Amino acid sequence: MTSQFNRRDSLKTLAALGAAGGLGSWSALAAAQAKPKPLTVGVIYVGARDDYGYNQAHAMAAAEIKKLPGVKVVEEENVPETAAVQKTMTGMISQDGAGLLFPTSFGYFDPHILAVAPKNPDVRFSHCGGLWTEGKHPKNVGSFFGYIDECQYLNGVIAAHMTKSNKIAFVAAKPIPQVLRNINAFTLGARSVKPNITCSVIFTGDWSMAVKEAEATNSLADQGCDVFTMHVDGPKVVVETAAKRGKMVCGYHASQAKLAPNAYLTGAEWNWLTAYKTAIEAAQTGKPHPNFLRGGLKEGYVKMSAYGPMVPDAAKKHADEIKAKMIAGSFDIFKDGIKDNKGAVVVPAGKVLKQTDLELEKMNYLVEGVVGSV
């Protein structure tokens, strides 16, 4: 009986608090009810998490989401773009109870995510870089990416201010649209400052191949290139090799300033936390899975590295003015009569390709001024 009376007394007290305007108790109750539902998030990396590059940028975001309420993170690194990633995804779902997966590498999408997702309709898959298509791909699958070509354009502007030979260089992995877009943006940025600049590109053939990255960097240095950037998973080898050769570097993925403080000019960095949080919030609140997420400097998906001490004020001012226009939405990279490096018009005069234009996601050419071939 005593417990009954205590329960009734408690209810009376709560009622009295409510009548008296004691909203603190109700606020606490509401807060408890609004608490995000528990979610296990799986993050899969194609390389090492400390690669000073692509994987590290994702690992930095994963470290931040571990701090979010109700979120548990499981990670696996060095997972190749083969059936191995299907095994990893399936294990995270069945053993760890993952409800949202971030398989981060480009080659994970087709066929691997597309094979696992239909078998797990209650699990959400957010892939970095893939092009999710309405009506073609499952609703529990989505893709996210950033307009990092904006930052590569700014890299090009700084490179143009710093080059003495008017020959700049790009070490790239594979000639897929996102890589070509970066090469082209870097070149266009540089040639907007000095129209006679050329950008020599070498494709290594893989996302992470240290020996070929070193060979490519040395070869481009031998050709007289004096400012380098790259699109490989781990820029460490390119940065350190270029610095040893007395060349300057614009970084990619994350900051590599610590690796070469006397050579590092600036860099194009990812801020994956923005996309991660969007997908997690949707999963925890039961909103539809965001199938197509894109953003640039304005939306906080990408950012620039701090300028190195050797970058003059005039160069910083020039790049910052363009960056401000990009954030304001008043600057377009691909517009007004662009030719490829074989002389064919790829963007007609008077045409503007906005960042959201799907034509840019299918890029298959190198612009005028690029020395190299797809």
Side-chain angles (χ1 to χ4, degrees), residues 83 85-87 89-90 93-94 98 101 111-125 138-141:
V85 73
Q86 295 188 37
K87 191 173 180 181
M89 288 189 286
T90 302
I93 294 165
S94 61
L101 293 180
H112 309 300
I113 291 173
L114 297 181
V116 177
K119 299 173 187 173
N120 298 275
D122 296 330
V123 178
R124 298 165 181 239
F125 297 77
K139 288 283 189 183
N140 63 327
V141 174

Side-chain angles (χ1 to χ4, degrees), residues 194-270:
K194 295 180 181 176
N196 61 333
I197 280 179
T198 59
C199 177
S200 297
V201 60
I202 293 178
F203 293 99
T204 63
D206 209 339
W207 297 114
S208 184
M209 200 174 281
V211 172
K212 287 198 172 181
E213 289 160 13
E215 288 174 351
T217 305
N218 279 313
S219 174
L220 292 164
D222 290 343
Q223 293 170 40
C225 298
D226 59 0
V227 184
F228 285 70
T229 193
M230 70 298 291
H231 188 153
V232 294
D233 272 2
K236 186 174 187 285
V237 171
V238 178
V239 171
E240 291 183 333
T241 305
K244 283 176 186 172
R245 294 291 303 269
K247 311 301 181 180
M248 294 169 284
V249 180
C250 294
Y252 188 58
H253 292 314
S255 175
Q256 292 88 41
K258 288 181 182 178
L259 297 174
N262 297 318
Y264 195 81
L265 302 173
T266 185
E269 297 185 37
W270 298 108

Side-chain angles (χ1 to χ4, degrees), residues 77-119:
E77 58 188 334
N78 296 310
V79 180
E81 294 175 325
T82 65
V85 73
Q86 295 188 37
K87 191 173 180 181
T88 295
M89 288 189 286
T90 302
M92 285 180 168
I93 294 165
S94 61
Q95 295 167 29
D96 300 299
L100 170 63
L101 293 180
F102 289 105
T104 60
S105 195
F106 183 82
Y108 289 164
F109 188 72
D110 189 358
H112 309 300
I113 291 173
L114 297 181
V116 177
K119 299 173 187 173

Side-chain angles (χ1 to χ4, degrees), residues 158 161 307-322:
I158 295 296
H161 278 275
Y307 294 118
M310 69 294 290
V311 180
D313 289 342
K316 294 178 191 175
K317 184 173 182 289
H318 190 176
D320 286 345
E321 285 172 354
I322 297 171

